[in-house]
Amino acid sequence: MNMQAPQRKKGRAKKKSSAPVYLGMFTAKILIIGPCESGKTVLANFLSDATETSGGEYHPTQGVRILEFECNNIEVSLSRTANCEVELWDCSGDHRFSTCWPALQNDTNGVVMVYNPDQPNHDKELETWYTQFVQEQWLRDSQCLIFAHHKPMAPERVRTQVPQTLSKVPCVHTNLDEDPDSVREEFKNFLGQVLSNLTDKRDQEELSIMNN
């Protein structure tokens, strides 16, 4: 009587999860723009962990404030991470500083537009900022983010919506009192998109050099 050894079922070999590839340290210039009294400085201080606070009386930004901070472990793409030194340019919403706009726009890597959805005119102003700082600078929509910033204790009213021309730009509703962590997370995800554009540009330049 022939005894056959039991056959083992062939299973799929488990793939070992590879460690993320570290791409290095980048520098990104990010502008925060939008109408006056929309909350730009509050968000800039929060994201950069600035010691100064902007609670209480409103103090409009004169021209621009530049805040520098580091953001680490940014997911640029699948299994690729990077660190980033962020230059956050908190720009005045006053159009009398428009003569300074060309200097602000120079070498910009990303734009965060902030508006207050409780203000009836802010949505229309967004289109002007988008045209001047995104479209005319040939930035991609992936290099742009909208924060619909809700101020504490704001009265309930009909809230404005983002204009149709900005429908492809990600819009995040922010409230630092109710959910501050999500604001940081959304900004970090946005940096990932900005760095992805930077790495694509760098790869194209290196390829061009090699071909020449």
Side-chain angles (χ1 to χ4, degrees):
M1 186 176 193
N2 294 329
M3 299 292 292
Q4 294 182 351
Q7 295 182 349
R8 294 182 179 179
K9 293 183 179 180
K10 294 182 179 181
R12 291 183 179 178
K14 293 183 178 180
K15 294 182 179 180
K16 294 182 179 180
S17 57
S18 57
V21 176
Y22 174 62
L23 300 177
M25 174 69 78
F26 291 80
T27 299
K29 176 182 176 181
I30 307 295
L31 304 185
I32 291 193
I33 59 174
C36 294
E37 296 189 63
S38 56
K40 298 183 297 294
T41 296
V42 173
L43 287 166
N45 287 343
F46 172 75
L47 292 170
S48 64
D49 289 322
T51 54
E52 58 183 293
T53 59
S54 55
E57 188 177 349
Y58 170 67
H59 297 284
T61 299
Q62 301 300 311
V64 65
R65 300 162 61 242
I66 302 176
L67 304 167
E68 298 182 344
F69 60 99
E70 192 172 302
C71 188
N72 297 323
N73 299 319
I74 302 168
E75 185 176 342
V76 179
S77 61
L78 188 62
S79 299
R80 298 199 306 170
T81 64
N83 296 343
C84 185
E85 292 180 353
V86 181
E87 293 180 6
L88 198 59
W89 291 50
D90 175 20
C91 305
S92 171
D94 194 331
H95 284 253
R96 66 189 175 94
F97 294 108
S98 60
T99 54
C100 302
W101 287 359
L104 302 181
Q105 294 162 344
N106 189 39
D107 295 329
T108 295
N109 303 119
V111 171
V112 176
M113 295 189 294
V114 182
Y115 83 105
N116 183 347
D118 296 314
Q119 294 295 328
N121 61 329
H122 275 196
D123 57 330
K124 296 178 182 178
E125 286 193 53
L126 275 185
E127 292 189 77
T128 300
W129 291 101
Y130 178 72
T131 300
Q132 293 285 338
F133 283 84
V134 180
Q135 289 184 324
E136 293 189 3
Q137 301 308 308
W138 298 98
L139 295 179
R140 302 175 183 175
D141 285 340
S142 60
Q143 294 172 269
C144 185
L145 175 67
I146 298 172
F147 278 153
H149 185 60
H150 300 268
K151 295 186 177 182
M153 308 299 292
E156 289 293 331
R157 62 181 69 179
V158 177
R159 289 172 172 164
T160 57
Q161 302 295 319
V162 174
Q164 186 63 32
T165 53
L166 281 75
S167 61
K168 294 183 179 180
V169 179
C171 180
V172 178
H173 287 262
T174 61
N175 189 316
L176 295 181
D177 286 345
E178 295 181 4
D179 194 3
D181 291 338
S182 69
V183 178
R184 288 192 194 278
E185 191 63 29
E186 292 291 349
F187 183 74
K188 192 173 182 179
N189 292 338
F190 167 65
L191 282 180
Q193 291 293 325
V194 171
L195 296 189
S196 178
N197 280 295
L198 281 175
T199 55
D200 289 346
K201 184 179 180 181
R202 184 183 65 180
D203 293 344
Q204 289 174 2
E205 290 174 351
E206 290 178 352
L207 186 61
S208 177
I209 293 172
M210 290 174 62
N211 291 334
N212 294 333

